[in-house]
PDB file of all heavy atoms in Angstrom:
ATOM      1  N   ALA A   8      -4.661  -0.923  18.629  1.00  0.00           N
ATOM      2  CA  ALA A   8      -5.151  -1.995  17.758  1.00  0.00           C
ATOM      3  C   ALA A   8      -5.111  -1.582  16.295  1.00  0.00           C
ATOM      4  O   ALA A   8      -4.945  -2.428  15.404  1.00  0.00           O
ATOM      5  CB  ALA A   8      -6.577  -2.383  18.153  1.00  0.00           C
ATOM      6  N   ASP A   9      -5.246  -0.283  16.029  1.00  0.00           N
ATOM      7  CA  ASP A   9      -5.176   0.196  14.646  1.00  0.00           C
ATOM      8  C   ASP A   9      -3.755   0.102  14.101  1.00  0.00           C
ATOM      9  O   ASP A   9      -3.552  -0.246  12.932  1.00  0.00           O
ATOM     10  CB  ASP A   9      -5.686   1.637  14.563  1.00  0.00           C
ATOM     11  CG  ASP A   9      -7.132   1.773  14.981  1.00  0.00           C
ATOM     12  OD1 ASP A   9      -7.942   0.950  14.532  1.00  0.00           O
ATOM     13  OD2 ASP A   9      -7.444   2.686  15.761  1.00  0.00           O
ATOM     14  N   TYR A  10      -2.766   0.402  14.937  1.00  0.00           N
ATOM     15  CA  TYR A  10      -1.379   0.204  14.508  1.00  0.00           C
ATOM     16  C   TYR A  10      -1.139  -1.254  14.146  1.00  0.00           C
ATOM     17  O   TYR A  10      -0.458  -1.567  13.166  1.00  0.00           O
ATOM     18  CB  TYR A  10      -0.407   0.624  15.614  1.00  0.00           C
ATOM     19  CG  TYR A  10      -0.222   2.105  15.747  1.00  0.00           C
ATOM     20  CD1 TYR A  10      -0.766   2.808  16.816  1.00  0.00           C
ATOM     21  CD2 TYR A  10       0.506   2.819  14.803  1.00  0.00           C
ATOM     22  CE1 TYR A  10      -0.602   4.175  16.944  1.00  0.00           C
ATOM     23  CE2 TYR A  10       0.679   4.192  14.914  1.00  0.00           C
ATOM     24  CZ  TYR A  10       0.122   4.868  15.992  1.00  0.00           C
ATOM     25  OH  TYR A  10       0.288   6.227  16.106  1.00  0.00           O
ATOM     26  N   ALA A  11      -1.698  -2.163  14.946  1.00  0.00           N
ATOM     27  CA  ALA A  11      -1.485  -3.588  14.700  1.00  0.00           C
ATOM     28  C   ALA A  11      -2.113  -4.031  13.384  1.00  0.00           C
ATOM     29  O   ALA A  11      -1.498  -4.756  12.598  1.00  0.00           O
ATOM     30  CB  ALA A  11      -2.057  -4.401  15.864  1.00  0.00           C
ATOM     31  N   LYS A  12      -3.351  -3.595  13.117  1.00  0.00           N
ATOM     32  CA  LYS A  12      -4.026  -4.064  11.899  1.00  0.00           C
ATOM     33  C   LYS A  12      -3.333  -3.537  10.650  1.00  0.00           C
ATOM     34  O   LYS A  12      -3.168  -4.280   9.663  1.00  0.00           O
ATOM     35  CB  LYS A  12      -5.509  -3.659  11.910  1.00  0.00           C
ATOM     36  CG  LYS A  12      -5.765  -2.183  11.625  1.00  0.00           C
ATOM     37  CD  LYS A  12      -7.196  -1.746  11.814  1.00  0.00           C
ATOM     38  CE  LYS A  12      -7.346  -0.262  11.506  1.00  0.00           C
ATOM     39  NZ  LYS A  12      -8.682   0.258  11.871  1.00  0.00           N
ATOM     40  N   VAL A  13      -2.895  -2.253  10.661  1.00  0.00           N
ATOM     41  CA  VAL A  13      -2.248  -1.732   9.455  1.00  0.00           C
ATOM     42  C   VAL A  13      -0.849  -2.305   9.307  1.00  0.00           C
ATOM     43  O   VAL A  13      -0.346  -2.424   8.181  1.00  0.00           O
ATOM     44  CB  VAL A  13      -2.227  -0.185   9.431  1.00  0.00           C
ATOM     45  CG1 VAL A  13      -3.647   0.363   9.451  1.00  0.00           C
ATOM     46  CG2 VAL A  13      -1.401   0.403  10.559  1.00  0.00           C
ATOM     47  N   ASN A  14      -0.214  -2.653  10.418  1.00  0.00           N
ATOM     48  CA  ASN A  14       1.083  -3.327  10.345  1.00  0.00           C
ATOM     49  C   ASN A  14       0.944  -4.648   9.593  1.00  0.00           C
ATOM     50  O   ASN A  14       1.725  -4.944   8.674  1.00  0.00           O
ATOM     51  CB  ASN A  14       1.610  -3.567  11.756  1.00  0.00           C
ATOM     52  CG  ASN A  14       2.932  -4.308  11.793  1.00  0.00           C
ATOM     53  OD1 ASN A  14       3.019  -5.457  11.384  1.00  0.00           O
ATOM     54  ND2 ASN A  14       3.961  -3.661  12.310  1.00  0.00           N
ATOM     55  N   VAL A  15      -0.044  -5.440   9.966  1.00  0.00           N
ATOM     56  CA  VAL A  15      -0.219  -6.760   9.353  1.00  0.00           C
ATOM     57  C   VAL A  15      -0.695  -6.632   7.909  1.00  0.00           C
ATOM     58  O   VAL A  15      -0.284  -7.399   7.033  1.00  0.00           O
ATOM     59  CB  VAL A  15      -1.188  -7.607  10.202  1.00  0.00           C
ATOM     60  CG1 VAL A  15      -1.481  -8.942   9.536  1.00  0.00           C
ATOM     61  CG2 VAL A  15      -0.594  -7.840  11.592  1.00  0.00           C
ATOM     62  N   TYR A  16      -1.545  -5.647   7.618  1.00  0.00           N
ATOM     63  CA  TYR A  16      -1.974  -5.429   6.229  1.00  0.00           C
ATOM     64  C   TYR A  16      -0.790  -4.976   5.373  1.00  0.00           C
ATOM     65  O   TYR A  16      -0.598  -5.450   4.248  1.00  0.00           O
ATOM     66  CB  TYR A  16      -3.087  -4.382   6.182  1.00  0.00           C
ATOM     67  CG  TYR A  16      -3.656  -4.160   4.795  1.00  0.00           C
ATOM     68  CD1 TYR A  16      -4.498  -5.101   4.208  1.00  0.00           C
ATOM     69  CD2 TYR A  16      -3.360  -3.011   4.078  1.00  0.00           C
ATOM     70  CE1 TYR A  16      -5.032  -4.897   2.936  1.00  0.00           C
ATOM     71  CE2 TYR A  16      -3.883  -2.801   2.805  1.00  0.00           C
ATOM     72  CZ  TYR A  16      -4.710  -3.744   2.245  1.00  0.00           C
ATOM     73  OH  TYR A  16      -5.236  -3.536   0.987  1.00  0.00           O
ATOM     74  N   GLY A  17       0.018  -4.066   5.901  1.00  0.00           N
ATOM     75  CA  GLY A  17       1.195  -3.618   5.160  1.00  0.00           C
ATOM     76  C   GLY A  17       2.171  -4.753   4.906  1.00  0.00           C
ATOM     77  O   GLY A  17       2.784  -4.831   3.839  1.00  0.00           O
ATOM     78  N   ALA A  18       2.306  -5.658   5.887  1.00  0.00           N
ATOM     79  CA  ALA A  18       3.186  -6.815   5.711  1.00  0.00           C
ATOM     80  C   ALA A  18       2.690  -7.699   4.569  1.00  0.00           C
ATOM     81  O   ALA A  18       3.488  -8.264   3.806  1.00  0.00           O
ATOM     82  CB  ALA A  18       3.262  -7.624   7.004  1.00  0.00           C
ATOM     83  N   TYR A  19       1.370  -7.821   4.433  1.00  0.00           N
ATOM     84  CA  TYR A  19       0.777  -8.583   3.318  1.00  0.00           C
ATOM     85  C   TYR A  19       1.091  -7.910   1.976  1.00  0.00           C
ATOM     86  O   TYR A  19       1.503  -8.578   1.011  1.00  0.00           O
ATOM     87  CB  TYR A  19      -0.726  -8.701   3.556  1.00  0.00           C
ATOM     88  CG  TYR A  19      -1.592  -8.762   2.326  1.00  0.00           C
ATOM     89  CD1 TYR A  19      -1.637  -9.908   1.530  1.00  0.00           C
ATOM     90  CD2 TYR A  19      -2.395  -7.688   1.973  1.00  0.00           C
ATOM     91  CE1 TYR A  19      -2.454  -9.965   0.405  1.00  0.00           C
ATOM     92  CE2 TYR A  19      -3.207  -7.737   0.856  1.00  0.00           C
ATOM     93  CZ  TYR A  19      -3.231  -8.873   0.075  1.00  0.00           C
ATOM     94  OH  TYR A  19      -4.033  -8.918  -1.035  1.00  0.00           O
ATOM     95  N   LEU A  20       0.949  -6.583   1.911  1.00  0.00           N
ATOM     96  CA  LEU A  20       1.264  -5.886   0.658  1.00  0.00           C
ATOM     97  C   LEU A  20       2.742  -6.026   0.310  1.00  0.00           C
ATOM     98  O   LEU A  20       3.094  -6.294  -0.846  1.00  0.00           O
ATOM     99  CB  LEU A  20       0.898  -4.402   0.774  1.00  0.00           C
ATOM    100  CG  LEU A  20      -0.580  -4.034   0.906  1.00  0.00           C
ATOM    101  CD1 LEU A  20      -0.727  -2.520   1.035  1.00  0.00           C
ATOM    102  CD2 LEU A  20      -1.394  -4.548  -0.274  1.00  0.00           C
ATOM    103  N   LEU A  21       3.608  -5.853   1.306  1.00  0.00           N
ATOM    104  CA  LEU A  21       5.053  -5.955   1.070  1.00  0.00           C
ATOM    105  C   LEU A  21       5.441  -7.300   0.479  1.00  0.00           C
ATOM    106  O   LEU A  21       6.256  -7.380  -0.443  1.00  0.00           O
ATOM    107  CB  LEU A  21       5.804  -5.762   2.387  1.00  0.00           C
ATOM    108  CG  LEU A  21       6.132  -4.343   2.849  1.00  0.00           C
ATOM    109  CD1 LEU A  21       6.754  -4.386   4.236  1.00  0.00           C
ATOM    110  CD2 LEU A  21       7.065  -3.658   1.877  1.00  0.00           C
ATOM    111  N   ARG A  22       4.876  -8.368   1.028  1.00  0.00           N
ATOM    112  CA  ARG A  22       5.308  -9.722   0.663  1.00  0.00           C
ATOM    113  C   ARG A  22       4.609 -10.258  -0.576  1.00  0.00           C
ATOM    114  O   ARG A  22       4.976 -11.333  -1.069  1.00  0.00           O
ATOM    115  CB  ARG A  22       5.089 -10.652   1.866  1.00  0.00           C
ATOM    116  CG  ARG A  22       6.098 -10.388   2.990  1.00  0.00           C
ATOM    117  CD  ARG A  22       5.599 -10.858   4.343  1.00  0.00           C
ATOM    118  NE  ARG A  22       6.609 -10.634   5.388  1.00  0.00           N
ATOM    119  CZ  ARG A  22       6.838  -9.453   5.971  1.00  0.00           C
ATOM    120  NH1 ARG A  22       6.119  -8.387   5.609  1.00  0.00           N
ATOM    121  NH2 ARG A  22       7.759  -9.326   6.907  1.00  0.00           N
ATOM    122  N   ASN A  23       3.617  -9.541  -1.089  1.00  0.00           N
ATOM    123  CA  ASN A  23       2.882 -10.034  -2.253  1.00  0.00           C
ATOM    124  C   ASN A  23       2.882  -9.094  -3.450  1.00  0.00           C
ATOM    125  O   ASN A  23       2.602  -9.540  -4.561  1.00  0.00           O
ATOM    126  CB  ASN A  23       1.437 -10.351  -1.859  1.00  0.00           C
ATOM    127  CG  ASN A  23       1.319 -11.553  -0.957  1.00  0.00           C
ATOM    128  OD1 ASN A  23       1.339 -12.691  -1.404  1.00  0.00           O
ATOM    129  ND2 ASN A  23       1.211 -11.315   0.347  1.00  0.00           N
ATOM    130  N   TYR A  24       3.181  -7.819  -3.244  1.00  0.00           N
ATOM    131  CA  TYR A  24       3.030  -6.859  -4.337  1.00  0.00           C
ATOM    132  C   TYR A  24       4.244  -5.965  -4.550  1.00  0.00           C
ATOM    133  O   TYR A  24       4.103  -4.793  -4.875  1.00  0.00           O
ATOM    134  CB  TYR A  24       1.759  -6.028  -4.123  1.00  0.00           C
ATOM    135  CG  TYR A  24       0.518  -6.850  -4.326  1.00  0.00           C
ATOM    136  CD1 TYR A  24      -0.268  -7.222  -3.246  1.00  0.00           C
ATOM    137  CD2 TYR A  24       0.173  -7.320  -5.592  1.00  0.00           C
ATOM    138  CE1 TYR A  24      -1.393  -8.016  -3.430  1.00  0.00           C
ATOM    139  CE2 TYR A  24      -0.939  -8.113  -5.783  1.00  0.00           C
ATOM    140  CZ  TYR A  24      -1.724  -8.458  -4.704  1.00  0.00           C
ATOM    141  OH  TYR A  24      -2.828  -9.246  -4.886  1.00  0.00           O
ATOM    142  N   GLY A  25       5.448  -6.521  -4.371  1.00  0.00           N
ATOM    143  CA  GLY A  25       6.618  -5.801  -4.838  1.00  0.00           C
ATOM    144  C   GLY A  25       7.513  -5.188  -3.798  1.00  0.00           C
ATOM    145  O   GLY A  25       8.407  -4.407  -4.149  1.00  0.00           O
ATOM    146  N   GLY A  26       7.305  -5.474  -2.511  1.00  0.00           N
ATOM    147  CA  GLY A  26       8.220  -4.986  -1.493  1.00  0.00           C
ATOM    148  C   GLY A  26       8.313  -3.472  -1.456  1.00  0.00           C
ATOM    149  O   GLY A  26       7.302  -2.764  -1.438  1.00  0.00           O
ATOM    150  N   ALA A  27       9.535  -2.953  -1.443  1.00  0.00           N
ATOM    151  CA  ALA A  27       9.748  -1.511  -1.330  1.00  0.00           C
ATOM    152  C   ALA A  27       9.061  -0.733  -2.451  1.00  0.00           C
ATOM    153  O   ALA A  27       8.624   0.401  -2.245  1.00  0.00           O
ATOM    154  CB  ALA A  27      11.250  -1.216  -1.328  1.00  0.00           C
ATOM    155  N   GLN A  28       8.935  -1.339  -3.612  1.00  0.00           N
ATOM    156  CA  GLN A  28       8.323  -0.638  -4.751  1.00  0.00           C
ATOM    157  C   GLN A  28       6.895  -0.217  -4.451  1.00  0.00           C
ATOM    158  O   GLN A  28       6.479   0.898  -4.792  1.00  0.00           O
ATOM    159  CB  GLN A  28       8.357  -1.528  -5.994  1.00  0.00           C
ATOM    160  CG  GLN A  28       7.782  -0.868  -7.247  1.00  0.00           C
ATOM    161  CD  GLN A  28       8.676   0.214  -7.814  1.00  0.00           C
ATOM    162  OE1 GLN A  28       9.826  -0.052  -8.163  1.00  0.00           O
ATOM    163  NE2 GLN A  28       8.173   1.433  -7.897  1.00  0.00           N
ATOM    164  N   VAL A  29       6.117  -1.081  -3.815  1.00  0.00           N
ATOM    165  CA  VAL A  29       4.722  -0.742  -3.550  1.00  0.00           C
ATOM    166  C   VAL A  29       4.634   0.384  -2.528  1.00  0.00           C
ATOM    167  O   VAL A  29       3.747   1.249  -2.618  1.00  0.00           O
ATOM    168  CB  VAL A  29       3.902  -1.981  -3.118  1.00  0.00           C
ATOM    169  CG1 VAL A  29       4.204  -2.411  -1.692  1.00  0.00           C
ATOM    170  CG2 VAL A  29       2.400  -1.720  -3.288  1.00  0.00           C
ATOM    171  N   LEU A  30       5.555   0.430  -1.556  1.00  0.00           N
ATOM    172  CA  LEU A  30       5.567   1.533  -0.602  1.00  0.00           C
ATOM    173  C   LEU A  30       5.881   2.845  -1.326  1.00  0.00           C
ATOM    174  O   LEU A  30       5.213   3.869  -1.106  1.00  0.00           O
ATOM    175  CB  LEU A  30       6.607   1.280   0.484  1.00  0.00           C
ATOM    176  CG  LEU A  30       6.471  -0.006   1.306  1.00  0.00           C
ATOM    177  CD1 LEU A  30       7.538  -0.051   2.395  1.00  0.00           C
ATOM    178  CD2 LEU A  30       5.085  -0.130   1.928  1.00  0.00           C
ATOM    179  N   HIS A  31       6.892   2.808  -2.177  1.00  0.00           N
ATOM    180  CA  HIS A  31       7.251   3.991  -2.962  1.00  0.00           C
ATOM    181  C   HIS A  31       6.059   4.475  -3.781  1.00  0.00           C
ATOM    182  O   HIS A  31       5.746   5.679  -3.809  1.00  0.00           O
ATOM    183  CB  HIS A  31       8.420   3.658  -3.886  1.00  0.00           C
ATOM    184  CG  HIS A  31       8.714   4.721  -4.909  1.00  0.00           C
ATOM    185  ND1 HIS A  31       8.046   4.799  -6.122  1.00  0.00           N
ATOM    186  CD2 HIS A  31       9.600   5.754  -4.893  1.00  0.00           C
ATOM    187  CE1 HIS A  31       8.499   5.820  -6.802  1.00  0.00           C
ATOM    188  NE2 HIS A  31       9.441   6.416  -6.091  1.00  0.00           N
ATOM    189  N   ASP A  32       5.374   3.562  -4.435  1.00  0.00           N
ATOM    190  CA  ASP A  32       4.306   3.948  -5.355  1.00  0.00           C
ATOM    191  C   ASP A  32       3.079   4.489  -4.624  1.00  0.00           C
ATOM    192  O   ASP A  32       2.342   5.314  -5.175  1.00  0.00           O
ATOM    193  CB  ASP A  32       3.925   2.768  -6.239  1.00  0.00           C
ATOM    194  CG  ASP A  32       5.007   2.410  -7.243  1.00  0.00           C
ATOM    195  OD1 ASP A  32       5.948   3.215  -7.407  1.00  0.00           O
ATOM    196  OD2 ASP A  32       4.931   1.328  -7.850  1.00  0.00           O
ATOM    197  N   ILE A  33       2.832   4.041  -3.402  1.00  0.00           N
ATOM    198  CA  ILE A  33       1.718   4.594  -2.624  1.00  0.00           C
ATOM    199  C   ILE A  33       1.977   6.066  -2.316  1.00  0.00           C
ATOM    200  O   ILE A  33       1.076   6.902  -2.398  1.00  0.00           O
ATOM    201  CB  ILE A  33       1.497   3.793  -1.323  1.00  0.00           C
ATOM    202  CG1 ILE A  33       0.978   2.386  -1.639  1.00  0.00           C
ATOM    203  CG2 ILE A  33       0.499   4.508  -0.404  1.00  0.00           C
ATOM    204  CD1 ILE A  33       0.931   1.464  -0.442  1.00  0.00           C
ATOM    205  N   VAL A  34       3.215   6.386  -1.963  1.00  0.00           N
ATOM    206  CA  VAL A  34       3.567   7.774  -1.652  1.00  0.00           C
ATOM    207  C   VAL A  34       3.610   8.630  -2.908  1.00  0.00           C
ATOM    208  O   VAL A  34       3.179   9.783  -2.907  1.00  0.00           O
ATOM    209  CB  VAL A  34       4.913   7.825  -0.903  1.00  0.00           C
ATOM    210  CG1 VAL A  34       5.410   9.270  -0.771  1.00  0.00           C
ATOM    211  CG2 VAL A  34       4.788   7.179   0.468  1.00  0.00           C
ATOM    212  N   HIS A  35       4.065   8.057  -4.012  1.00  0.00           N
ATOM    213  CA  HIS A  35       4.305   8.849  -5.217  1.00  0.00           C
ATOM    214  C   HIS A  35       3.127   8.826  -6.179  1.00  0.00           C
ATOM    215  O   HIS A  35       3.318   8.881  -7.396  1.00  0.00           O
ATOM    216  CB  HIS A  35       5.580   8.375  -5.906  1.00  0.00           C
ATOM    217  CG  HIS A  35       6.823   8.786  -5.185  1.00  0.00           C
ATOM    218  ND1 HIS A  35       7.693   9.743  -5.657  1.00  0.00           N
ATOM    219  CD2 HIS A  35       7.337   8.387  -3.999  1.00  0.00           C
ATOM    220  CE1 HIS A  35       8.678   9.906  -4.811  1.00  0.00           C
ATOM    221  NE2 HIS A  35       8.497   9.092  -3.797  1.00  0.00           N
ATOM    222  N   ASN A  36       1.905   8.772  -5.648  1.00  0.00           N
ATOM    223  CA  ASN A  36       0.736   9.075  -6.469  1.00  0.00           C
ATOM    224  C   ASN A  36      -0.069  10.154  -5.760  1.00  0.00           C
ATOM    225  O   ASN A  36       0.245  10.541  -4.630  1.00  0.00           O
ATOM    226  CB  ASN A  36      -0.106   7.819  -6.775  1.00  0.00           C
ATOM    227  CG  ASN A  36      -0.708   7.158  -5.542  1.00  0.00           C
ATOM    228  OD1 ASN A  36      -1.235   7.820  -4.660  1.00  0.00           O
ATOM    229  ND2 ASN A  36      -0.644   5.825  -5.491  1.00  0.00           N
ATOM    230  N   SER A  37      -1.099  10.655  -6.410  1.00  0.00           N
ATOM    231  CA  SER A  37      -1.817  11.818  -5.875  1.00  0.00           C
ATOM    232  C   SER A  37      -3.095  11.448  -5.132  1.00  0.00           C
ATOM    233  O   SER A  37      -3.886  12.330  -4.792  1.00  0.00           O
ATOM    234  CB  SER A  37      -2.172  12.776  -7.025  1.00  0.00           C
ATOM    235  OG  SER A  37      -2.981  12.117  -7.993  1.00  0.00           O
ATOM    236  N   PHE A  38      -3.317  10.167  -4.847  1.00  0.00           N
ATOM    237  CA  PHE A  38      -4.524   9.741  -4.134  1.00  0.00           C
ATOM    238  C   PHE A  38      -4.288   9.791  -2.629  1.00  0.00           C
ATOM    239  O   PHE A  38      -3.191   9.482  -2.146  1.00  0.00           O
ATOM    240  CB  PHE A  38      -4.914   8.325  -4.550  1.00  0.00           C
ATOM    241  CG  PHE A  38      -5.205   8.177  -6.013  1.00  0.00           C
ATOM    242  CD1 PHE A  38      -4.312   7.536  -6.856  1.00  0.00           C
ATOM    243  CD2 PHE A  38      -6.369   8.698  -6.562  1.00  0.00           C
ATOM    244  CE1 PHE A  38      -4.569   7.411  -8.212  1.00  0.00           C
ATOM    245  CE2 PHE A  38      -6.645   8.577  -7.914  1.00  0.00           C
ATOM    246  CZ  PHE A  38      -5.740   7.929  -8.748  1.00  0.00           C
ATOM    247  N   ASP A  39      -5.329  10.149  -1.880  1.00  0.00           N
ATOM    248  CA  ASP A  39      -5.186  10.262  -0.426  1.00  0.00           C
ATOM    249  C   ASP A  39      -5.998   9.218   0.334  1.00  0.00           C
ATOM    250  O   ASP A  39      -6.015   9.216   1.561  1.00  0.00           O
ATOM    251  CB  ASP A  39      -5.575  11.662   0.051  1.00  0.00           C
ATOM    252  CG  ASP A  39      -7.014  12.036  -0.294  1.00  0.00           C
ATOM    253  OD1 ASP A  39      -7.785  11.154  -0.734  1.00  0.00           O
ATOM    254  OD2 ASP A  39      -7.374  13.220  -0.117  1.00  0.00           O
ATOM    255  N   ASP A  40      -6.683   8.323  -0.395  1.00  0.00           N
ATOM    256  CA  ASP A  40      -7.514   7.318   0.262  1.00  0.00           C
ATOM    257  C   ASP A  40      -7.104   5.930  -0.225  1.00  0.00           C
ATOM    258  O   ASP A  40      -5.996   5.739  -0.737  1.00  0.00           O
ATOM    259  CB  ASP A  40      -8.997   7.594   0.000  1.00  0.00           C
ATOM    260  CG  ASP A  40      -9.338   7.645  -1.494  1.00  0.00           C
ATOM    261  OD1 ASP A  40      -8.469   7.291  -2.343  1.00  0.00           O
ATOM    262  OD2 ASP A  40     -10.464   8.037  -1.840  1.00  0.00           O
ATOM    263  N   GLN A  41      -8.012   4.955  -0.091  1.00  0.00           N
ATOM    264  CA  GLN A  41      -7.676   3.576  -0.454  1.00  0.00           C
ATOM    265  C   GLN A  41      -7.221   3.439  -1.901  1.00  0.00           C
ATOM    266  O   GLN A  41      -6.485   2.506  -2.248  1.00  0.00           O
ATOM    267  CB  GLN A  41      -8.877   2.665  -0.211  1.00  0.00           C
ATOM    268  CG  GLN A  41     -10.072   2.969  -1.103  1.00  0.00           C
ATOM    269  CD  GLN A  41     -11.345   2.321  -0.625  1.00  0.00           C
ATOM    270  OE1 GLN A  41     -11.627   2.323   0.562  1.00  0.00           O
ATOM    271  NE2 GLN A  41     -12.101   1.744  -1.547  1.00  0.00           N
ATOM    272  N   GLN A  42      -7.604   4.391  -2.760  1.00  0.00           N
ATOM    273  CA  GLN A  42      -7.181   4.322  -4.151  1.00  0.00           C
ATOM    274  C   GLN A  42      -5.669   4.472  -4.271  1.00  0.00           C
ATOM    275  O   GLN A  42      -5.082   3.993  -5.242  1.00  0.00           O
ATOM    276  CB  GLN A  42      -7.892   5.406  -4.980  1.00  0.00           C
ATOM    277  CG  GLN A  42      -7.687   5.274  -6.484  1.00  0.00           C
ATOM    278  CD  GLN A  42      -8.131   3.931  -7.045  1.00  0.00           C
ATOM    279  OE1 GLN A  42      -9.152   3.387  -6.622  1.00  0.00           O
ATOM    280  NE2 GLN A  42      -7.382   3.386  -7.996  1.00  0.00           N
ATOM    281  N   ALA A  43      -5.031   5.105  -3.296  1.00  0.00           N
ATOM    282  CA  ALA A  43      -3.567   5.204  -3.310  1.00  0.00           C
ATOM    283  C   ALA A  43      -2.945   3.826  -3.254  1.00  0.00           C
ATOM    284  O   ALA A  43      -1.953   3.544  -3.937  1.00  0.00           O
ATOM    285  CB  ALA A  43      -3.093   6.054  -2.130  1.00  0.00           C
ATOM    286  N   VAL A  44      -3.533   2.932  -2.448  1.00  0.00           N
ATOM    287  CA  VAL A  44      -3.040   1.560  -2.342  1.00  0.00           C
ATOM    288  C   VAL A  44      -3.357   0.787  -3.618  1.00  0.00           C
ATOM    289  O   VAL A  44      -2.492   0.101  -4.178  1.00  0.00           O
ATOM    290  CB  VAL A  44      -3.658   0.864  -1.114  1.00  0.00           C
ATOM    291  CG1 VAL A  44      -3.254  -0.608  -1.069  1.00  0.00           C
ATOM    292  CG2 VAL A  44      -3.235   1.574   0.167  1.00  0.00           C
ATOM    293  N   VAL A  45      -4.585   0.902  -4.080  1.00  0.00           N
ATOM    294  CA  VAL A  45      -5.004   0.164  -5.280  1.00  0.00           C
ATOM    295  C   VAL A  45      -4.162   0.570  -6.476  1.00  0.00           C
ATOM    296  O   VAL A  45      -3.687  -0.281  -7.247  1.00  0.00           O
ATOM    297  CB  VAL A  45      -6.501   0.389  -5.563  1.00  0.00           C
ATOM    298  CG1 VAL A  45      -6.909  -0.267  -6.884  1.00  0.00           C
ATOM    299  CG2 VAL A  45      -7.350  -0.159  -4.415  1.00  0.00           C
ATOM    300  N   ASP A  46      -3.953   1.863  -6.658  1.00  0.00           N
ATOM    301  CA  ASP A  46      -3.165   2.347  -7.792  1.00  0.00           C
ATOM    302  C   ASP A  46      -1.740   1.810  -7.727  1.00  0.00           C
ATOM    303  O   ASP A  46      -1.177   1.410  -8.753  1.00  0.00           O
ATOM    304  CB  ASP A  46      -3.158   3.878  -7.785  1.00  0.00           C
ATOM    305  CG  ASP A  46      -2.402   4.460  -8.969  1.00  0.00           C
ATOM    306  OD1 ASP A  46      -2.965   4.483 -10.079  1.00  0.00           O
ATOM    307  OD2 ASP A  46      -1.248   4.878  -8.788  1.00  0.00           O
ATOM    308  N   ALA A  47      -1.148   1.801  -6.529  1.00  0.00           N
ATOM    309  CA  ALA A  47       0.219   1.296  -6.385  1.00  0.00           C
ATOM    310  C   ALA A  47       0.293  -0.197  -6.679  1.00  0.00           C
ATOM    311  O   ALA A  47       1.204  -0.667  -7.367  1.00  0.00           O
ATOM    312  CB  ALA A  47       0.733   1.588  -4.972  1.00  0.00           C
ATOM    313  N   VAL A  48      -0.672  -0.949  -6.173  1.00  0.00           N
ATOM    314  CA  VAL A  48      -0.703  -2.393  -6.434  1.00  0.00           C
ATOM    315  C   VAL A  48      -0.878  -2.652  -7.924  1.00  0.00           C
ATOM    316  O   VAL A  48      -0.244  -3.556  -8.495  1.00  0.00           O
ATOM    317  CB  VAL A  48      -1.824  -3.068  -5.619  1.00  0.00           C
ATOM    318  CG1 VAL A  48      -2.060  -4.504  -6.093  1.00  0.00           C
ATOM    319  CG2 VAL A  48      -1.483  -3.058  -4.131  1.00  0.00           C
ATOM    320  N   ASN A  49      -1.714  -1.862  -8.573  1.00  0.00           N
ATOM    321  CA  ASN A  49      -1.954  -2.033 -10.007  1.00  0.00           C
ATOM    322  C   ASN A  49      -0.706  -1.766 -10.849  1.00  0.00           C
ATOM    323  O   ASN A  49      -0.635  -2.202 -12.007  1.00  0.00           O
ATOM    324  CB  ASN A  49      -3.085  -1.114 -10.478  1.00  0.00           C
ATOM    325  CG  ASN A  49      -4.456  -1.524  -9.990  1.00  0.00           C
ATOM    326  OD1 ASN A  49      -5.404  -0.749 -10.047  1.00  0.00           O
ATOM    327  ND2 ASN A  49      -4.593  -2.736  -9.485  1.00  0.00           N
ATOM    328  N   GLN A  50       0.272  -1.067 -10.297  1.00  0.00           N
ATOM    329  CA  GLN A  50       1.511  -0.810 -11.026  1.00  0.00           C
ATOM    330  C   GLN A  50       2.389  -2.053 -11.119  1.00  0.00           C
ATOM    331  O   GLN A  50       3.274  -2.138 -11.984  1.00  0.00           O
ATOM    332  CB  GLN A  50       2.310   0.310 -10.358  1.00  0.00           C
ATOM    333  CG  GLN A  50       1.583   1.638 -10.224  1.00  0.00           C
ATOM    334  CD  GLN A  50       1.041   2.162 -11.529  1.00  0.00           C
ATOM    335  OE1 GLN A  50       1.769   2.246 -12.522  1.00  0.00           O
ATOM    336  NE2 GLN A  50      -0.241   2.504 -11.537  1.00  0.00           N
TER     337      GLN A  50
END
């Protein structure tokens, strides 16, 4: 069920906040928690 929820949340980020760019930016920052997502979205 955890795979399912993060799949659907990731699909929301992909389709609303820049597609591949937001995935790249989550990996290429130094945060290890939810701030990694927030920082990438803020870019």
Side-chain angles (χ1 to χ4, degrees):
D9 298 314
Y10 283 107
K12 75 188 180 189
V13 299
N14 178 296
V15 175
Y16 184 74
Y19 149 73
L20 293 179
L21 275 174
R22 288 157 178 79
N23 290 279
Y24 290 108
Q28 182 72 59
V29 75
L30 302 183
H31 170 275
D32 290 348
I33 292 171
V34 171
H35 287 251
N36 63 44
S37 59
F38 300 106
D39 59 10
D40 57 9
Q41 65 195 43
Q42 189 57 39
V44 175
V45 175
D46 182 78
V48 168
N49 289 165
Q50 302 306 309

